Amino acid sequence: MPQWTSAVGSTQLARLLTSQQARPASAGTRRPPAYRALADGIRLLVLEGRVPVAARLPAERELAVALAVSRTTVAAAYEALRTEGFLESRRGAGSWTAVPAGNPLPARGLEPLPPEALGSMIDLGCAALPAPEPWLTRSVQGALEELPPYAHTHGDYPAGLPALRAMLAERYTARGIPTMPEQIMVTTGAMGAIDAICHLFAGRGERIAVESPSYANILQLMREAGARLVPVAMAEGLGGWDMDRWRQVLRDAAPRLAYVVADFHNPTGALADEDQRRRLVDAARHAGTVLVVDETMSELRLDEGLDMPRPVCGFDPAGSTVITVGSASKAFWAGMRIGWVRAAPDVIRSLVAARAYADLGTPVLEQLALNWLLSTGGWQQAVDVRREQARDNRDALVAAVRRELPGWEFEVPRGGLTLWVRTGGLSGSRIAEVGERVGVRVPSGPRFGVDGAFEGYVRLPFTVGGAVAEEAAVRLAAAARLVESGSGAGSGAEEPHTFVA
């Protein structure tokens, strides 16, 4: 059985390598031999996630023709990559990308800060804002008033409270997606929803296609479920999905599931346009792949006048391809662990039946609180405040990072809660490690990739603003200087990948 899960064509790889040449080289840099430049270029594409790990590379002769170089140059480059651990080969199966052995991946999530550290550490680990008041308190008070009738029941509602299911269905219908309550299941957060979907559709060893980069916690959830993750590189910047790559992966790898974030992607902030959504649904349908769409960021558009595309499920009128996941965690508060699934009624029935062996149901009080928000207009009021807060935080953080770290590269997203930043050739893992020593906590890029990609990135969420955002950038700049000078040598607690720009 081949060890690769996707393939990169010679024309595509040549285009990616050519795009690197537009980046300015450091002053005084000597030109390396042609084979070394080619090997370095492919290695950088792997570390940045633009070429996935376990992607089959073109044959030496094909790539030589596409790049207009000798086959000897390509053969020498491949041999250098094999020696360094970035390429594996087997006779009859070809060569595929890899990462060097002995470098464990920083796949763990960031644990919550202990209370005693909150005053000294600026925490940019979680893309979540504090609770919106007075709406949180009012929603809980409203829920307590509605609780007595439910207290006389057993309290187990595996599909969710009927009133909340009906309310969520009405909201999809209002967005132009006719939906019945029977198409909704309430879950314990979006994580609970995706966990249930993975267990139903993708058993251990099944392939799941994921954006590269993607949401770190979901990637880890899928790993622990035994899935074989097939990364699909995002388009550059805020370009959204690379549809040529998606079509190729869906055709060649035939994944059982595909997980995507179409609305203000976490971590890049990209917003997929309607054409991309339509084409991805069509490609998934033809491949027999179930498309799981995470809408947790969909209400967090930050720029005025931005027209949102139709939901992805709007391009699947038969309901046979798309399963949508929503949540109150990003738009309202992460402490309100309420999520939901919108799918065909038979899928919902299967999910509900399987849930009897998991968590039985979502807490009633929190469901009543969310239903109170949605039925009284409190939800929209709170989301409006959320958008204003996130917009101000984004603008403050962008200005501070540009001032303190002018060599770091990023594009400003029009919504969501995250900034995806290329760290000027420095190791994101080292910056994350040293950052904690100087009082700022950030997740490194490899947490959002598969098998060691994105070493040259960090994710910065819009969770702080004003003077705190400015101080966060100052501390990040201090961490970057320590890493660049070599004073930020690792402690060995979690050995990061070496990154060479």
Side-chain angles (χ1 to χ4, degrees), residues 100-380:
N103 289 309
L105 300 178
R108 297 194 316 267
L110 290 176
E111 294 78 12
L113 280 177
E116 61 270 18
L118 293 177
S120 59
M121 182 76 70
I122 298 176
D123 189 2
L124 299 180
C126 297
L129 292 162
E133 291 289 18
W135 294 278
L136 175 62
T137 298
R138 289 177 181 172
S139 69
V140 174
Q141 291 171 341
L144 288 172
E145 293 175 1
E146 299 291 333
L147 183 60
Y150 296 93
H152 293 293
T153 73
H154 50 65
D156 288 336
Y157 295 89
L161 295 184
L164 181 56
R165 296 176 72 195
M167 179 60 67
L168 293 169
E170 288 179 15
R171 287 176 60 81
Y172 278 105
T173 300
R175 295 168 65 189
I177 313 297
T179 303
M180 304 178 295
E182 293 78 10
Q183 292 177 262
I184 301 292
M185 181 177 84
V186 180
T187 62
T188 307
M191 293 285 290
I194 294 170
D195 182 57
I197 294 166
C198 288
H199 278 89
L200 180 63
F201 284 95
R204 184 167 293 274
E206 291 275 8
R207 291 177 175 176
I208 301 179
V210 295
E211 297 152 325
S212 184
S214 187
Y215 179 38
N217 289 340
I218 294 296
L219 294 180
Q220 186 63 9
L221 180 156
M222 292 174 174
R223 290 187 188 101
E224 293 183 358
R228 298 175 61 192
L229 301 184
V230 183
V232 186
M234 298 284 287
E236 278 287 276
L238 298 177
W241 299 323
D242 185 326
M243 288 310 307
D244 290 338
R245 295 188 186 186
W246 269 107
R247 278 196 302 270
Q248 183 180 33
V249 166
L250 294 177
R251 181 184 67 244
D252 295 346
R256 185 71 181 91
L257 288 179
Y259 168 76
V260 297
V261 185
D263 301 299
F264 311 122
H265 175 261
N266 185 357
T268 69
L271 176 65
D273 62 34
E274 290 209 359
D275 183 60
Q276 289 173 327
R277 296 171 189 233
R278 179 185 298 104
R279 292 166 66 192
L280 184 57
V281 172
D282 288 344
R285 183 183 298 116
H286 287 126
T289 298
V290 176
L291 192 60
V292 182
V293 180
D294 187 333
E295 286 192 336
T296 53
M297 294 280 193
S298 63
E299 299 212 43
L300 290 173
R301 63 181 185 276
L302 305 184
D303 287 356
E304 298 291 343
L306 175 61
D307 292 327
M308 291 294 292
R310 277 191 294 166
V312 177
C313 58
F315 299 97
D316 180 37
S320 60
T321 300
V322 177
I323 298 177
T324 303
V325 173
S327 170
S329 296
K330 299 300 184 184
F332 188 74
W333 184 45
M336 183 174 280
R337 304 304 304 155
I338 302 292
W340 54 88
V341 178
R342 180 201 180 274
D346 62 317
V347 172
I348 295 297
R349 287 192 295 270
S350 297
L351 289 170
V352 171
R355 189 176 196 178
Y357 307 100
D359 63 356
L360 293 180
T362 303
V364 170
L365 189 63
E366 283 87 339
Q367 292 189 70
L368 290 172
L370 178 56
N371 193 60
W372 183 93
L373 286 166
L374 295 173
S375 61
T376 63
W379 173 270
Q380 191 58 53

Side-chain angles (χ1 to χ4, degrees), residues 463-482:
T463 52
V464 297
V468 180
E470 294 178 6
E471 179 61 22
V474 169
R475 296 183 187 186
L476 280 171
R481 287 193 295 271
L482 288 171

